[in-house]
Amino acid sequence: MPKPQESAVYTHGHHESVLRSHTWRTAANSAGYLLGSLKPHMKVLDIGCGPGTITADLAALVPEGRVTGVDSAPGVLDQARATAAERGLRNVDFAVADVHALDHPDDTFCVVHAHQVLQHVGDPVRALREMHRVTRPGGLVAVRDSDYSAMTWYPLSAGMDDWLDLYLRVARANGGEPDAGRRLRSWALRAGFTDVTATSSTWTFATADERRWWSGLWADRTLASTYADRAIEGGHATREQLRAVSGAWRAWGEREDGWFAVLHGEILCRKDA
């Protein structure tokens, strides 16, 4: 029987403006809810590892264990390997994988981690079942996803409202669910987990440097990434409309009173022993 294949299109792609965001992520700012559960000897699977910054942090936190980072995009794994090599980490490896059909035996990992992954997959419940399968009895599945409709900012901006409306339409047309954060607990219960701890946390961008960085990467992403291509090809926006949204991001970033919060849902699911 053939393996199931990823049925959603990754909305963002791996344009420089996307990797600018992904390489900023650390275990501290993106996986804090998990860190207290890690032990030095653990074997960890990091799904959707991207350029590997979180993966490398996890490897440093389990020095007697091992971390495997997997991603559906082969190209980005070269950057992940370089990140690990630069840090001198020897307990980490990387491979291409489909979260719906992981190439690992049952009961392999102490922890299976996925950050900003389930919002982009075609069947998040099936993905969680697969994560459950490769987790050892008593082990943890740790998932964190943003929730776009719950993102909030100040000052109000019609152009930013247009951005959110456009992003939701493009992401859903690609087969994903951009409001994944609020759905994680429900998906985990449907996947068969019975011990689920649900929490939330935020990224906040408020200083001049934070606003400049966050607004700049979204302004660039709106014009030059795979997301921009999908928006136009899918008939969701014209090039002129994308330029207007990009301009709205830059205008917000220049406001001294600008503030933006990204809400994330989080789940820690323990596999029955």
Side-chain angles (χ1 to χ4, degrees):
M1 182 176 179
K3 288 182 178 181
Q5 296 297 311
E6 175 64 75
S7 58
V9 175
Y10 180 46
T11 296
H12 298 287
H14 293 91
H15 183 264
E16 182 278 329
S17 61
V18 178
L19 293 178
R20 201 184 314 163
S21 170
H22 290 183
T23 55
W24 166 83
R25 298 172 183 176
T26 65
N29 69 28
S30 300
Y33 70 106
L34 168 63
L35 301 189
S37 300
L38 295 178
K39 307 297 181 187
H41 67 277
M42 284 182 161
K43 188 174 183 179
V44 179
L45 177 65
D46 186 23
I47 296 173
C49 65
T53 50
I54 296 176
T55 319
D57 285 350
L58 295 176
L61 292 168
V62 293
E64 300 164 27
R66 188 159 193 87
V67 177
T68 296
V70 298
D71 202 282
S72 62
V76 77
L77 294 179
D78 291 337
Q79 186 169 344
R81 293 185 183 100
T83 297
E86 288 167 5
R87 300 192 192 184
L89 296 165
R90 299 182 180 275
N91 64 331
V92 60
D93 57 270
F94 298 93
V96 177
D98 172 11
V99 67
H100 295 106
L102 297 168
D103 190 22
H104 299 282
D106 296 357
D107 307 335
T108 298
F109 298 97
C110 305
V111 174
V112 176
H113 169 261
H115 184 265
Q116 307 281 35
V117 171
L118 292 190
Q119 64 183 279
H120 298 296
V121 305
D123 191 340
V125 174
R126 184 175 189 171
L128 282 163
R129 288 184 184 132
E130 188 67 350
M131 294 183 210
H132 179 279
R133 180 185 67 78
V134 301
T135 302
R136 294 174 180 174
L140 289 171
V141 171
V143 177
R144 184 177 191 252
D145 263 279
S146 55
D147 194 295
Y148 275 77
S149 291
M151 294 184 188
T152 189
W153 57 86
Y154 186 85
L156 299 179
S157 162
M160 297 282 280
D161 290 342
D162 291 342
W163 160 75
L164 179 57
D165 175 70
L166 174 63
Y167 184 84
L168 294 173
R169 287 187 282 113
V170 173
R172 288 179 175 139
N174 286 344
E177 177 43 71
D179 293 344
R182 69 188 69 186
R183 292 170 163 82
L184 293 182
R185 185 173 185 275
S186 175
W187 288 341
L189 294 174
R190 288 167 56 193
F193 287 100
T194 58
D195 184 350
V196 181
T197 299
T199 56
S200 64
S201 62
T202 62
W203 292 335
T204 303
F205 304 99
T207 68
D209 286 344
E210 290 166 349
R211 292 193 312 273
R212 187 179 305 111
W213 179 78
W214 185 243
S215 65
L217 69 86
W218 270 107
D220 292 343
R221 189 181 304 188
T222 299
L223 291 179
S225 69
T226 299
Y227 160 64
D229 295 337
R230 299 288 178 186
I232 292 173
E233 292 167 5
H236 305 289
T238 64
R239 180 63 63 180
E240 182 178 352
Q241 288 169 326
L242 291 182
R243 282 195 291 267
V245 168
S246 178
W249 268 108
R250 293 198 184 280
W252 171 82
E254 293 171 359
R255 289 290 299 258
E256 290 185 0
D257 57 348
W259 178 92
F260 197 107
V262 179
L263 178 70
H264 296 83
E266 304 157 344
I267 49 171
L268 278 177
C269 310
R270 190 169 298 278
K271 183 173 178 177
D272 293 341

